[in-house]
RNA sequence: GGAGAGAUGGCUGAGCGGUCGAAAGCACAUCCUUGCUAAGGAUGCGUACCUUCGGGUACCUAGGGUUCGAAUCCCUAUCUCUCCGCCA
């Protein structure tokens, strides 16, 4: 959520920056609503003030002579007036809140201007995509023929976009999770194991609601399955004043649930785009002065996993048109997938500045002022896609998979995945 | 699931229809006294919004209601605790 006070004082600048997202933005109408609203607040409050004063008079009059009918009728007149003012006020406040809750974050000045992913800018690459002497296979062909991935049976019991992992596949998934968490812990992140179901207000706090409800799974009791651990981790300090002298660094492994509304036909094969997937998430909560430095180091924390796994990747900075709702600046990390012969997103690291903190009401005190913290989040990494990358990049000519060195200890010493019987 | 009890400021805890944004204690901040590692005293100490910068308004879990007036009475929800049952 943007700061209405900032919008008042810098309408033109903010409007210009928001337009870079290629969305229709009209802040002037918001400003007008805000002005009307404040007038009504003043009016309502002064009426209320009168009511209170008169009510006190009634108390005194009753004590003295037991009769206060004259003042009582004055009060009821005031209350009728106030009621009609309040009705208008409520309507206006609703409208303003709606606009604010559905307006995206302001892109940072350094974010390249563009309309879609073609305008993203590569900032670095690492590793060299393998030149295979044989034709590289897709992870799904590899996984199915090795007997470690089963899409058909998953579809039978859960529908499209689910996968059964088994044997060495399931073990590899778990190995990746543990490896990632251990790496992040060594870099100062505290490990969490958060709830997977959250209340609607939590989704509002991190920006999934009210705008993106169709992407979420809702339960029969009104709570939602998390689409990412960013949701519970960022909201950990909801409605609190916290100390940000040192940045809070949190990490968590969780399953993530996404309805994938609107992505019909995209990545239908394999486990690239699933309704349920595992992810290790990184979240930072910090002082506003540090958030852009923290974004750089968080992105490096995510890239570190790929370097240790020896998986080639590139990092791009998203252009204004491709950035998510919450973000002021985002780096995507894309891993090389030889089976698809291209780079695919495996992590997205964003600085959300005070956008989520304002919604979640997370503040800190400085010089007697109450200020909002900055929040950042990034995948560190999407585990399913990492498994895909391992399968495709470590495939051998005979269809077996070599286990990356750093994962061998997490695989109980196993160094290669061969075809499994079932 | 059944039966009770409760939810007040950073914490503990009073208040049970007007003088309550809320006693008291603890914690915290500044200052004073003293002198020595502790004590005494003074003052201050919530959040948010509006403002003609004097002030004003809202908030005692949340949402409704009663009343001229609600932290205080009534209803509903949520959460916490205790006992019983069940359960991974």
């Amino acid at each position: 959520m943007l700061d209405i006070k900032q919008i008042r004082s810098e309408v033109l600048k903010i409007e210009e920056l928001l337009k870079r997202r290629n969305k229709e933005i009209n802040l002037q109408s918001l400003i007008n609503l805000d002005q009307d609203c404040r007038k009504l607040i003043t009016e309502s409050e002064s009426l209320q003030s009168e009511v209170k004063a008169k009510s006190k008079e009634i108390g005194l009059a009753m004590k003295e002579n037991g009769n206060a009918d004259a003042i009582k009728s004055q009060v009821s007149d005031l209350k009728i007036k106030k009621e009609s003012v309040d009705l208008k006020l409520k309507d206006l406040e609703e409208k303003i809140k709606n606009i604010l809750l559905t307006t995206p974050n302001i892109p940072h000045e350094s974010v390249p201007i563009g309309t879609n992913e073609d305008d993203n800018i590569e900032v670095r690459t690492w590793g060299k995509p393998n030149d295979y002497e044989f034709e590289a296979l897709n992870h799904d062909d590899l996984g199915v023929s090795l007997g470690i991935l089963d899409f058909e049976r998953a579809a039978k019991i859960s529908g499209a976009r689910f996968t059964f992992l088994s044997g060495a596949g399931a073990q590899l998934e778990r190995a990746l999770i543990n490896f990632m968490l251990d790496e992040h812990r060594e870099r100062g992140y505290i490990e969490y194991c958060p709830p997977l179901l959250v209340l609607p207000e939590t989704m509002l706090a991190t920006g999934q609601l009210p705008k993106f409800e169709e992407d979420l799974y809702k339960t029969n009791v009104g709570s939602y399955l998390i689409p990412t651990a960013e949701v519970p981790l960022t909201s950990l300090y909801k409605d609190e004043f916290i100390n940000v002298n040192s940045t809070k660094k949190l990490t968590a492994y969780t399953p993530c649930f996404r309805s994938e509304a609107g992505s019909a036909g995209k990545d239908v094969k394999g486990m690239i785009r699933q309704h349920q997937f595992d992810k290790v998430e990184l979240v930072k909560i910090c002082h506003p002065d540090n958030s852009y430095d923290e974004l750089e180091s968080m992105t490096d924390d995510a890239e570190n996993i790929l370097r240790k796994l020896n998986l080639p990747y590139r990092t791009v900075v998203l252009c204004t048109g491709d950035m998510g709702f919450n973000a002021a600046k985002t780096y995507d990390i894309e891993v090389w997938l030889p089976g698809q012969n291209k780079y695919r997103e495996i992590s997205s690291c964003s600085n959300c500045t005070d956008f989520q903190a304002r919604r979640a009401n997370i503040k800190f005190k400085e010089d007697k002022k109450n200020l909002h913290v900055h929040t950042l989040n990034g995948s560190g990494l999407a585990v399913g896609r990492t498994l895909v990358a391992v399968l495709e990049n470590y495939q051998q000519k005979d269809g077996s998979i070599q286990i990356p060195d750093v994962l061998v200890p997490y695989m109980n010493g196993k160094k290669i995945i061969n075809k499994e019987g079932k």
Side-chain angles (χ1 to χ4, degrees), chain A residues 252-287:
Chain A
Y253 148 69
T254 67
C256 302
F257 303 91
R258 299 185 182 179
S259 75
E260 292 299 339
S263 52
K266 245 192 216 169
D267 303 311
V268 285
K269 240 177 137 250
M271 55 184 292
I272 290 283
R273 191 174 299 276
Q274 305 273 281
H275 288 307
Q276 174 194 327
F277 62 97
D278 288 330
K279 185 154 58 74
V280 170
E281 183 74 0
L282 304 172
V283 163
K284 286 182 174 184
I285 300 172
C286 71
H287 191 285

Side-chain angles (χ1 to χ4, degrees), chain A residues 2-11 14 31 34:
Chain A
L2 302 183
D3 181 5
I4 187 73
K5 286 183 198 156
Q6 195 196 351
I7 295 176
R8 270 178 221 150
S9 62
E10 304 178 277
V11 210
I14 293 175
I31 295 272
D34 176 57

Side-chain angles (χ1 to χ4, degrees), chain A residues 220-272:
Chain A
N220 63 329
V221 288
S223 48
Y224 294 86
L225 281 165
I226 59 168
T228 160
E230 166 199 341
V231 170
L233 289 183
T234 304
S235 283
L236 183 67
Y237 299 108
K238 190 169 178 289
D239 298 319
E240 293 187 34
F241 280 84
I242 61 170
N243 183 334
V244 283
N245 289 342
S246 62
T247 294
K248 299 202 182 296
K249 298 165 73 174
L250 329 175
T251 185
Y253 148 69
T254 67
C256 302
F257 303 91
R258 299 185 182 179
S259 75
E260 292 299 339
S263 52
K266 245 192 216 169
D267 303 311
V268 285
K269 240 177 137 250
M271 55 184 292
I272 290 283

